């Protein structure tokens, strides 16, 4: 039986801390994974799925580390005071902590969900494989979608006219904006906007998993183009669409068991 995860706070710069959960397998780990959560409220909606997947991976022999990025979950600081560079530094912290927990040459994976993939797609100075769950290929699009939450909230009052331009003007001036209960700072917005899901660093493996409620679903042309860019850069990419809801955005907490099964099989 797999024990409960080890919950601990990882020291960070300035006396801050990052909440981490380490899921240890029984025996020698087949691989080690660092999980990078999605953006804002999508993180909260995805916690149950992430927890179930971590347990399933640990039961299959993989070591998994979850980390709450700066200003997220139970980690130090406020979301509005966090920047993209802070989150990049947190990934490095997580990788160091994972190395300490799992020494040796077990294959390393960055497992990311949605906008977490934009953070994962960087050169980390070492061989890293990628497990993408429904990755977003454009940070600019991710930011626009997040800002549209404000527009949707204001439409009923008729105050949405010109609001998108106002939000962008505020961010460009270095001032934070309030979106769906989150204070979004300029440093985080600009970093997200500039991020792209493009290959970087030494080529390895990519397991690209997407969800759909349609049985005949296929990858979008944008996704196909992104996959090709990784393949052209020398990465071995496998794509799969599995049945399930977009649990990161549903009104109620939902699960996609087929995604967990496909994930374990992909890494096996």
């Amino acid at each position: 039986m797999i024990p409960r995860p080890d919950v601990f706070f990882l020291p960070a710069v300035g006396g801050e801390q990052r909440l981490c959960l380490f899921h240890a397998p029984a025996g020698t780990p087949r691989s080690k994974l660092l999980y990078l959560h999605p953006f804002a409220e999508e993180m909260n909606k995805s916690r149950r799925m992430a927890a179930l997947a971590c347990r399933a991976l640990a039961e299959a022999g993989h070591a998994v580390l979850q980390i709450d990025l700066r200003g997220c979950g139970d980690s130090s600081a406020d979301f509005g005071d966090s920047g993209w560079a802070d989150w990049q530094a947190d990934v490095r912290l997580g990788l160091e902590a994972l190395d300490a927990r799992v020494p040796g040459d077990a294959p390393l994976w960055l497992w990311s969900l949605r906008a977490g993939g934009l953070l994962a797609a960087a050169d980390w100075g070492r061989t890293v494989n990628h497990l993408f769950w429904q990755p977003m290929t454009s940070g600019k699009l991710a930011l626009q979608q997040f800002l549209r939450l404000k527009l949707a909230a204001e439409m009923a009052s008729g105050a949405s006219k010109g609001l998108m331009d106002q939000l962008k003007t505020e961010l460009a001036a270095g001032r934070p904006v309030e979106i769906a209960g989150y204070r979004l700072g300029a440093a985080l917005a600009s970093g997200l906007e500039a991020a792209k899901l493009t290959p970087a660093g030494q080529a390895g493996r990519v397991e690209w998993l997407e969800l759909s409620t349609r049985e005949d679903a296929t990858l979008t042309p944008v996704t196909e183009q992104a996959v090709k860019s990784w393949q052209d850069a020398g990465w071995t990419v496998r794509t799969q669409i599995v049945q399930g809801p977009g649990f990161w955005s549903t009104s109620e907490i939902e699960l996609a068991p087929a995604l967990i099964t496909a994930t374990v099989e992909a890494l096996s």
Side-chain angles (χ1 to χ4, degrees):
M1 179 179 293
I2 298 299
R4 290 181 177 273
D6 181 15
V7 182
F8 64 97
F9 281 99
L10 186 63
V13 175
E16 294 185 356
Q17 296 178 320
R18 305 290 179 262
L19 178 71
C20 295
L21 287 81
F22 180 67
H23 304 258
T28 303
R30 301 171 64 180
S31 70
K32 52 186 178 182
L33 298 90
L34 176 63
Y35 172 66
L36 303 180
H37 60 71
F39 192 77
E41 190 61 20
E42 290 189 0
M43 172 190 178
N44 295 325
K45 292 292 183 67
S46 305
R47 278 202 181 276
R48 180 59 177 162
M49 266 295 293
L52 292 174
C54 285
R55 182 174 182 83
L57 286 166
E59 289 176 344
H62 306 278
V64 188
L65 180 69
Q66 296 176 264
I67 183 172
D68 284 0
L69 302 173
R70 186 174 194 260
C72 301
D74 291 311
S75 287
S76 299
D78 183 80
F79 186 88
D81 296 326
S82 301
W84 195 253
D86 296 326
W87 287 3
Q88 290 174 321
D90 286 348
V91 175
R92 294 186 180 91
L93 276 178
L95 290 173
E96 292 172 359
L98 188 55
D99 284 340
R101 296 269 175 155
V102 190
D105 56 359
L108 172 62
W109 292 79
L110 281 180
W111 163 31
S112 54
L113 172 59
R114 298 278 288 160
L118 296 167
L119 186 62
D123 185 355
W124 302 106
R126 57 194 298 183
T127 301
V128 176
N129 304 300
H130 289 283
L131 170 61
F132 291 137
W133 272 13
Q134 201 78 23
M136 306 187 78
T137 59
S138 167
K140 183 176 182 179
L141 179 59
L143 178 62
Q144 289 177 341
Q145 290 180 356
F146 186 62
L147 295 180
R148 287 194 188 109
L149 296 176
K150 181 76 169 181
L151 271 66
E154 298 293 336
M155 283 185 66
S157 63
S160 62
K161 184 177 180 180
L163 183 57
M164 180 66 79
D165 289 338
Q166 294 175 26
L167 294 173
K168 291 182 177 180
T169 297
E170 289 295 301
L171 291 170
R175 294 186 289 269
V177 296
E178 295 287 340
I179 307 289
Y182 289 85
R183 186 168 63 92
L184 175 64
L188 183 54
S190 61
L192 174 61
E193 186 174 32
K196 295 181 180 179
L197 194 74
T198 53
Q202 184 175 346
R205 286 177 56 192
V206 175
E207 295 292 339
W208 191 304
L209 302 179
E210 301 208 352
L211 279 170
S212 178
T213 55
R214 293 172 46 196
E215 294 184 358
D216 60 344
T218 59
L219 298 177
T220 67
V222 171
T223 298
E224 289 181 342
Q225 183 178 4
V227 169
K228 186 177 184 301
S229 72
W230 284 79
Q231 292 172 330
D232 291 345
W235 294 73
T236 301
V237 184
R238 293 196 307 178
T239 62
Q240 186 178 359
I241 300 177
V242 298
Q243 290 286 303
F247 55 86
W248 55 85
S249 62
T250 53
S251 57
E252 301 294 333
I253 300 300
E254 294 198 35
L255 303 178
L259 179 60
I260 297 176
T261 300
T263 296
V264 173
E265 292 176 351
L267 267 63
S268 299

